[in-house]
């Protein structure tokens, strides 16, 4: 998209050499719309990438949480096996009881770690959704700005004012959407 905006800007510069005040104003508005479109498109790309990165982090955290839950299950099984062995009595019953407690403590730590990782996953999912929402709004803003550039070009070719006014309205709405994206 930034290359498209640059191309429209070049056409506007060529038209500006006609020394017509209307064409000069439209050319300036094309330049402004092109800059706004380029910035909005860049922000749109950034938000898209940020959404993907956050989603990937969420998947990684879920994988780590799954590993911790598996570790917790293993500790829980060992704890129960040692507890059963201790209940059976015998010369090693005290050792088995001690190992059962140790495995239980390790299981509690693994469970706490798994829950923290799941909380982190939820945060990353929410962050991904925020970036995705911004991406969608910026797409709309960039599209409106590009439409404004195209209509400004039509205004130069037809030398009519209504396409230019429409382009200014569309461009303004696109710019407002881009700004509001970061205010909400």
């Amino acid at each position: 998209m930034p290359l498209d905006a640059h191309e429209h800007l070049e056409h506007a510069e060529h038209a500006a050499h006609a020394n017509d005040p209307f064409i000069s104003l439209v050319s300036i508005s094309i330049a402004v719309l092109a800059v706004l479109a380029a910035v909005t498109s860049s922000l749109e790309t950034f938000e898209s990438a940020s959404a993907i990165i956050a989603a990937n982090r969420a998947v990684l955290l879920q994988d780590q949480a799954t590993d911790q839950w598996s570790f917790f299950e293993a500790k829980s099984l060992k704890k129960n096996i040692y507890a059963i062995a201790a209940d059976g009595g015998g010369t090693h019953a005290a050792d088995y009881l001690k190992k059962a407690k140790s495995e239980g403590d390790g299981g509690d730590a693994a469970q706490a770690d798994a829950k923290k990782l799941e909380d982190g996953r939820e945060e990353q999912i929410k962050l991904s959704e925020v970036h995705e929402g911004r991406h969608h709004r910026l797409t709309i803003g960039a599209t409106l700005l590009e439409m404004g550039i195209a209509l400004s070009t039509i205004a130069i070719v037809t030398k009519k004012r209504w396409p230019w006014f429409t382009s200014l309205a569309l461009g303004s709405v696109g710019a407002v959407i881009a700004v509001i994206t970061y205010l909400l």
Side-chain angles (χ1 to χ4, degrees):
M1 278 223 206
L3 292 177
D4 292 338
H6 180 63
E7 186 176 323
H8 287 294
L9 182 59
E10 284 182 4
H11 290 294
E13 288 172 355
H14 291 297
H17 294 296
N19 291 327
D20 181 343
F22 172 69
I23 291 177
S24 295
L25 282 175
V26 176
S27 298
I28 290 169
S29 69
I30 289 174
V32 171
L33 291 172
V35 169
L36 292 173
V39 169
T40 303
S41 294
S42 293
L43 291 172
E44 174 190 6
T45 300
F46 171 79
E47 291 299 336
S48 176
S50 296
I52 292 168
I53 289 168
N56 287 342
R57 286 181 181 152
V59 170
L60 177 62
L61 288 168
Q62 180 57 55
D63 286 347
Q64 292 171 342
T66 299
D67 291 346
Q68 283 301 314
W69 282 116
S70 296
F71 187 60
F72 166 75
E73 289 295 326
K75 289 286 190 181
S76 181
L77 285 171
K78 285 182 179 181
K79 173 187 152 192
N80 290 333
I81 290 170
Y82 284 122
I84 290 169
D87 286 345
T91 57
H92 298 292
D95 291 337
Y96 293 149
L97 197 54
K98 201 187 297 185
K99 285 202 175 241
K101 181 178 178 352
S102 173
E103 293 294 336
D105 292 344
D108 292 343
Q111 184 180 33
D113 288 345
K115 287 180 180 179
K116 281 183 195 174
L117 289 165
E118 287 177 337
D119 290 344
R121 176 205 62 210
E122 291 302 317
E123 289 175 17
Q124 289 300 314
I125 288 171
K126 288 177 186 172
L127 184 59
S128 177
E129 290 170 355
V130 166
H131 287 299
E132 191 172 336
R134 286 180 183 163
H135 165 74
H136 292 309
R137 288 187 297 279
L138 289 168
T139 299
I140 292 167
T143 300
L144 291 173
L145 286 160
E146 289 290 337
M147 289 169 63
I149 292 169
L151 284 173
S152 289
T153 304
I154 291 170
I156 288 174
V157 172
T158 63
K159 295 190 188 306
K160 295 191 178 192
R161 293 189 179 275
W162 72 263
W164 181 52
F165 292 136
T166 305
S167 77
L168 292 176
L170 287 173
S172 296
V173 171
V176 167
I177 289 172
V179 169
I180 288 174
T181 294
Y182 288 101
L183 296 177
L184 298 177

